[in-house]
Amino acid sequence: MADDAHNIIPVPARLADNDSASQRLQLTHRLLTSQDPSVQLRVFFQQLAPMLPFSGLQYHPPQRSGHESRSQRLGKIGRHQCDYQLSCGDQALGQLIFSREQRFSEAEQQWLEEWLSVLVLPLSNALRYQEALLLAHIDSLTGIGNRAAFDSALHRELRLAERHKHELSLLVVDVDLFKRVNDRYGHSYGDDILKQVVAQLERLCRDTDLLFRYGGEEFVILLSKTDRAGARVIAERIRRGVEDTVSAGEGDDQKAITVSVGIGTRLPEGETSLHSIFDRADRALYQAKEEGRNRVIGESPAARSPSALQRALL
C-alpha cells in the first residue's frame, strides 16, 4: 500500500524514455541468470535506484512452515513507503517495500509497478528452486535434516573446527529394538514413535546442536565446540530423556522406548576423511548394542589414535 501523494516529486523524464522496453528486457536477462532471491533483489535495486529517486528497498520473503525466512534491506530506509504484496498465480512471493524521505507520486507508483512486473517471474522461479533445495535436505517424516543435509553440515563443521581449533563431537543415536515396534504395532505406529523420539531429541539438544535423521531409526547430532566429556553429558541426558518420556503400547503392555548412543570426537591432528568421525561413533554405537542397549559408549582411545598410515595421510 503506497502513501497518499503530497509534496510530489516529478517523475524524471527518463522514465518515459523510448528505451525502457530494452532496459526491461536487459534486466529480465540479468535476473534470470541467478536462482538466488537475494542476488536478484540486489540487481533489481541497482538498476532501478538511479532511474527513480528512492533510497531504500526492503524484501520480506513468504513464510515457510518450519523454516525461518530472512528479510533483506538495501540502501537507506526512508519515512515514506510504497508497499507491494507480490504473487505469481497462486504462489505468494513476499512483500517488497520501496522507501524514501519524500512521498511517491501516482505516476512514480505506476512506474514502479511496471518494473515490478519484470521481477515477478524470475523471483517466482528462484523461490521455487530454493524451496526444492530445502525439501531435498529435509526428512519428510520428521521434518529434520536428512542424510544429504548431514553430509553438508559435517563438511562445514569439520572445516570450521579445523580452522579455529575448536572441539567437535558427534552422537549417533539409534532406537533400540525398533523392528519389534513395527512388527507388533505396524509401521504407522512406528512412525509416530520416531516423531516422538525426534521431539525429545530437539527438546534435549542445545540451540547450537544440529540434528539429522541418518536413516531408519538412526539419528546423528553434531555438537559444535564440544569435547568428549561434554558430549557424554549431552548423550546421557538424551538417553534418560527418551526413556522417561517415550513408550509403546498401553496398560500392562506398555514399555519404555530406549536409545543407544555412540560418541565420536574430532581428532586433534585432523580427520583422515569426511566420515571418519562418524565411523568411530558408529563403532561405539555398535558396542553399546552389543553390551545390552540403552547405554552411551564413547570411542576408545585406540580408535581415536591415527595409525601410521593415517598419520601419513594427514
Side-chain angles (χ1 to χ4, degrees), residues 8 137 242 285:
I8 294 174
H137 286 76
V242 172
L285 171 66

Side-chain angles (χ1 to χ4, degrees), residues 16-308:
D17 196 316
N18 292 331
D19 291 334
S20 63
S22 176
Q23 291 175 329
R24 291 178 194 174
L25 183 60
Q26 181 184 40
L27 177 59
T28 300
H29 289 160
R30 292 183 64 194
L31 293 174
L32 289 172
T33 61
S34 174
Q35 294 282 17
D36 185 338
S38 63
V39 172
Q40 291 182 341
L41 265 295
R42 284 198 298 272
V43 169
F44 186 76
F45 175 77
Q46 289 165 1
Q47 178 146 340
L48 263 67
M51 300 168 65
L52 178 72
F54 69 91
S55 60
L57 188 68
Q58 299 175 74
Y59 175 63
H60 304 294
Q63 295 298 312
R64 302 186 184 100
S65 177
H67 177 69
E68 182 180 354
S69 299
R70 295 183 179 181
S71 298
Q72 185 174 0
R73 285 189 172 197
L74 297 166
K76 181 181 178 181
I77 306 305
R79 291 185 304 162
H80 297 280
Q81 300 179 343
C82 285
D83 181 345
Y84 297 97
Q85 294 290 340
L86 306 181
S87 63
C88 183
D90 59 356
Q91 179 192 13
L93 304 181
Q95 181 186 36
L96 195 66
I97 304 171
F98 299 91
S99 66
R100 68 183 187 189
E101 290 304 312
Q102 299 85 17
R103 293 184 183 274
F104 292 88
S105 70
E106 290 186 8
E108 288 171 328
Q109 294 170 34
Q110 181 179 357
W111 183 86
L112 288 175
E113 291 164 12
E114 290 174 354
W115 279 91
L116 278 175
S117 65
V118 177
L119 175 66
V120 166
L121 183 58
L123 182 61
S124 171
N125 292 339
L127 289 174
R128 290 186 187 277
Y129 177 74
Q130 296 296 323
E131 182 73 15
L133 286 181
L134 178 66
L135 292 175
H137 286 76
I138 295 295
D139 176 59
S140 60
L141 175 66
T142 61
I144 61 176
N146 60 15
R147 185 167 177 173
F150 164 67
D151 287 341
S152 177
L154 178 60
H155 182 270
R156 181 181 66 251
E157 292 298 322
L158 278 173
R159 298 293 80 78
L160 287 173
E162 290 169 2
R163 182 182 308 150
H164 300 292
K165 307 302 180 185
H166 290 160
E167 296 279 4
L168 175 67
S169 293
L170 179 152
L171 307 181
V172 181
V173 182
D174 189 87
V175 181
D176 295 326
L177 302 173
F178 185 68
K179 185 177 183 301
R180 294 185 183 180
V181 174
N182 277 336
D183 291 345
R184 181 161 188 172
Y185 302 106
H187 289 275
S188 179
Y189 189 94
D191 288 347
D192 288 338
I193 293 296
L194 290 180
K195 291 177 184 177
Q196 292 180 49
V197 169
V198 167
Q200 292 307 311
L201 295 180
E202 291 180 320
R203 181 180 68 85
L204 297 164
C205 285
R206 304 166 302 182
D207 291 341
T208 55
D209 299 335
L210 302 175
L211 172 62
F212 308 91
R213 186 184 182 192
Y214 192 77
E217 64 272 22
E218 190 168 84
F219 304 90
V220 182
I221 305 172
L222 285 175
L223 309 175
S224 178
K225 300 181 182 179
T226 306
D227 61 15
R228 191 180 182 192
R232 179 172 285 276
V233 170
I234 296 170
E236 283 289 354
R237 184 169 71 228
I238 286 171
R239 184 194 63 77
R240 292 193 303 269
V242 172
E243 183 180 21
D244 291 344
T245 57
V246 184
S247 61
E250 297 180 356
D252 294 337
D253 189 44
Q254 189 175 50
K255 295 185 183 300
I257 294 295
T258 64
V259 296
S260 298
V261 186
I263 303 173
T265 302
R266 188 181 76 88
L267 296 170
E269 303 87 349
E271 293 296 325
T272 58
S273 69
L274 177 61
H275 288 93
S276 57
I277 183 175
F278 172 85
D279 293 338
R280 295 195 304 277
D282 200 43
R283 287 195 294 270
L285 171 66
Y286 182 79
Q287 183 181 344
K289 295 287 190 179
E290 288 286 293
E291 293 184 8
R293 303 180 181 87
N294 190 23
R295 64 192 63 215
V296 173
I297 297 291
E299 55 185 316
S300 66
R304 300 188 76 247
S305 301
S307 66

